[in-house]
Amino acid sequence: MQHRDRQQGKDAHDRLYADASARYAPALARLARATEFDADKARDLEQDMHFALWRSLAAFDGRCALGTWVYRVAHNVAATHAARRAGSAKLVAIEAAADIAAQDNPEAAVGDAQTLERLRRLIARLKPADRSVILLYLEGLDAAAIAEITGLTAGNVAVKIHRIKALLAQHFARGDAA
């Protein structure tokens, strides 16, 4: 009897992971690529996110939406990954990001792919917490959901989103590169 109950629990856990993975795998892949530029390391990070999600679902009790749970787990894995490599990269706060130096020629860039890459590089220069906020916003989450995922207040999230959007618009208007 106990073995059968354990097996049913495992089956339910596996079904929940399969559902979460099917629904949120593209978002996890985008978050991994936004956090890690090296393609192989991004794939490894994505696998780490999936493993952490699978493991964490054993504790999922439905007190929040499944999407919130998935984003919180992925955000934590990405933040840990970014913190590990932060020693080798110069990260800046939103307030100091106006001083980001140009590294390539945006006037030579044409097409949506180059514009997206430019935006991705600008976002990557932000500190992990600010980067997470804007990436979750770009995934279509509102300030309240982002606040629940990141542990910030909804007001703080809204202010960060406004400042980051203004910063990115300023960089694009000036023709700055990442």
Side-chain angles (χ1 to χ4, degrees), residues 22-90:
R23 289 170 51 190
Y24 298 101
L28 297 182
R30 287 188 297 271
L31 178 58
R33 287 190 311 269
T35 303
E36 180 58 66
F37 287 113
D38 180 275
D40 290 332
K41 290 179 182 177
R43 282 190 294 278
D44 290 344
L45 177 57
E46 185 179 354
Q47 287 178 347
D48 290 346
M49 289 175 180
H50 278 277
F51 179 67
L53 175 62
W54 177 81
R55 256 189 10 204
S56 75
L57 287 172
F60 180 70
D61 59 8
R63 283 190 283 168
C64 66
L66 179 61
T68 300
W69 185 274
V70 171
Y71 281 119
R72 177 167 276 177
V73 169
H75 161 78
N76 289 339
V77 172
T80 300
H81 176 84
R84 273 192 231 123
R85 75 172 218 285
S88 63
K90 184 177 188 284

Side-chain angles (χ1 to χ4, degrees), residues 1-165:
M1 183 78 163
Q2 198 175 30
H3 174 70
R4 187 178 57 174
D5 290 343
R6 214 175 308 131
Q7 184 61 39
Q8 287 175 342
K10 181 184 178 315
D11 292 344
H13 177 258
D14 289 345
R15 282 192 304 276
L16 184 59
Y17 170 73
D19 177 45
S21 180
R23 289 170 51 190
Y24 298 101
L28 297 182
R30 287 188 297 271
L31 178 58
R33 287 190 311 269
T35 303
E36 180 58 66
F37 287 113
D38 180 275
D40 290 332
K41 290 179 182 177
R43 282 190 294 278
D44 290 344
L45 177 57
E46 185 179 354
Q47 287 178 347
D48 290 346
M49 289 175 180
H50 278 277
F51 179 67
L53 175 62
W54 177 81
R55 256 189 10 204
S56 75
L57 287 172
F60 180 70
D61 59 8
R63 283 190 283 168
C64 66
L66 179 61
T68 300
W69 185 274
V70 171
Y71 281 119
R72 177 167 276 177
V73 169
H75 161 78
N76 289 339
V77 172
T80 300
H81 176 84
R84 273 192 231 123
R85 75 172 218 285
S88 63
K90 184 177 188 284
L91 303 176
V92 296
I94 295 170
E95 296 79 14
D99 299 329
I100 296 174
Q103 293 179 352
D104 60 67
N105 182 358
E107 288 73 29
V110 292
D112 291 343
Q114 288 141 338
T115 301
L116 288 174
E117 179 63 19
R118 190 170 154 218
L119 178 62
R120 185 172 160 250
R121 288 184 183 276
L122 286 169
I123 290 171
R125 296 291 309 269
L126 298 173
K127 285 187 174 180
D130 296 333
R131 185 179 330 125
S132 293
V133 166
I134 197 65
L135 291 173
L136 291 168
Y137 173 77
L138 291 172
E139 285 294 330
L141 278 72
D142 63 14
I146 296 169
E148 190 174 344
I149 292 165
T150 61
L152 301 169
T153 65
N156 191 346
V157 168
V159 168
K160 283 183 177 287
I161 290 169
H162 176 76
R163 287 182 180 170
I164 294 169
K165 286 170 53 177

